[in-house]
Amino acid sequence: GAVVSQHPSRVICKSGTSVKIECRSLDFQATTMFWYRQFPKQSLMLMATSNEGSKATYEQGVEKDKFLINHASLTLSTLTVTSAHPEDSSFYICSARLQGINEKLFFGSGTQLSVL
Amino acid sequence: QKEVEQNSGPLSVPEGAIASLNCTYSDRGSQSFFWYRQYSGKSPELIMSIYSNGDKEDGRFTAQLNKASQYVSLLIRDSQPSDSATYLCAAGLGGYNKLIFGAGTRLAVHP
């Protein structure tokens, strides 16, 4: 199956710093990528829908100025957590979709962010 | 009301039994439904998708959809300890057909 690479897998940072997470579709072009956040023992919460070449669409309650999403190419989307705080500590997962088909939705391996 | 609802469990079944996982959704406009399995600290992996009313079988897994009742279920036959995981139900919503996940049901299959 298709591969989505997410990097880094784990990051520990100090409060107030910014963290960038990359999501790459390695063998297909993804016009749409999704960013999810998952707290321990909870489900994946959709944060935003990222479309190549246009502004991301954020879900209600997600601060667009805090979670910056850039989808500059058909194979790369980035999520930057700006001025991270301990409450931002979570598991962040990206997914990339092939040809608008949800059965062709592939997940990255996730990034565990810990803010001290 | 949450868009996709699941019982968080845990659901405990003995090895070899049938595990039944249930999910309801609120948006009648949803046309596609998915079951994912997620192990702790890992990304979800797709098990089944279903689009039409009725049953869809794939090996030990059967997905059931009832659009009138806004209900989706997953049956796992001959449950194995390796099936122990969290099972996430998801529905496709909106213009981007984004996937909205339920909270997940934790399944424990004991020998």
Side-chain angles (χ1 to χ4, degrees), chain A residues 69-88:
Chain A
I69 292 173
N70 184 287
H71 194 159
S73 78
L74 287 171
T75 58
L76 174 64
S77 177
T78 61
L79 167 67
T80 302
V81 183
T82 62
S83 187
H85 291 282
E87 58 266 29
D88 298 322

Side-chain angles (χ1 to χ4, degrees), chain A residues 27-89:
Chain A
D27 52 1
F28 68 99
Q29 294 182 329
T31 53
T32 305
M33 291 185 175
F34 301 93
W35 287 95
Y36 291 86
R37 178 170 54 183
Q38 186 174 36
F39 293 107
K41 297 187 179 180
Q42 294 187 26
S43 189
L44 288 89
M45 298 298 297
L46 180 64
M47 299 176 66
T49 302
S50 168
N51 292 290
E52 186 266 338
S54 64
K55 290 184 179 180
T57 302
Y58 289 81
E59 294 300 302
Q60 191 174 7
V62 178
E63 300 174 59
K64 62 178 69 175
D65 294 330
K66 180 168 183 62
F67 298 100
L68 300 179
I69 292 173
N70 184 287
H71 194 159
S73 78
L74 287 171
T75 58
L76 174 64
S77 177
T78 61
L79 167 67
T80 302
V81 183
T82 62
S83 187
H85 291 282
E87 58 266 29
D88 298 322
S89 299

Side-chain angles (χ1 to χ4, degrees), chain A residues 6 32 34 36 38 41-46 49 51 54-55 57 59 91 93-94 97 100-105 107-110, chain B residues 3 6 32 34 36 38 41-46 48-51 56 88 91-93 96-104 106:
Chain A
Q6 186 173 342
T32 305
F34 301 93
Y36 291 86
Q38 186 174 36
K41 297 187 179 180
Q42 294 187 26
S43 189
L44 288 89
M45 298 298 297
L46 180 64
T49 302
N51 292 290
S54 64
K55 290 184 179 180
T57 302
E59 294 300 302
F91 190 53
I93 308 177
C94 73
R97 188 167 66 190
I101 304 170
N102 273 335
E103 282 191 336
K104 304 288 188 183
L105 183 72
F107 284 87
S109 55
Chain B
E3 291 170 306
Q6 293 180 257
S32 56
F34 304 84
Y36 284 82
Q38 186 180 27
K42 303 294 183 182
S43 291
E45 52 181 326
L46 180 66
M48 295 277 289
S49 61
I50 188 165
Y51 299 84
K56 179 181 178 182
L88 303 171
L93 294 174
Y96 288 115
N97 203 19
K98 57 192 179 186
L99 276 189
I100 302 299
F101 286 83
R106 193 155 50 91

Side-chain angles (χ1 to χ4, degrees), chain B:
Chain B
Q1 180 185 6
K2 293 183 180 178
E3 291 170 306
V4 180
E5 295 211 47
Q6 293 180 257
N7 187 320
S8 62
L11 172 66
S12 182
V13 301
E15 184 174 357
I18 296 175
S20 177
L21 304 162
N22 304 312
C23 171
T24 58
Y25 61 95
S26 61
D27 190 337
R28 286 194 174 274
S30 299
Q31 296 295 319
S32 56
F33 305 90
F34 304 84
W35 282 99
Y36 284 82
R37 176 173 60 196
Q38 186 180 27
Y39 295 108
S40 181
K42 303 294 183 182
S43 291
E45 52 181 326
L46 180 66
I47 298 176
M48 295 277 289
S49 61
I50 188 165
Y51 299 84
S52 304
N53 278 329
D55 295 359
K56 179 181 178 182
E57 187 174 319
D58 183 0
R60 295 188 296 116
F61 300 98
T62 299
Q64 299 173 317
L65 173 60
N66 184 326
K67 289 186 179 181
S69 301
Q70 295 174 245
Y71 176 89
V72 192
S73 67
L74 178 70
L75 299 177
I76 306 175
R77 289 181 297 281
D78 189 24
S79 296
Q80 301 298 310
S82 57
D83 294 327
S84 299
T86 296
Y87 289 79
L88 303 171
C89 172
L93 294 174
Y96 288 115
N97 203 19
K98 57 192 179 186
L99 276 189
I100 302 299
F101 286 83
T105 298
R106 193 155 50 91
L107 173 67
V109 181
H110 53 87

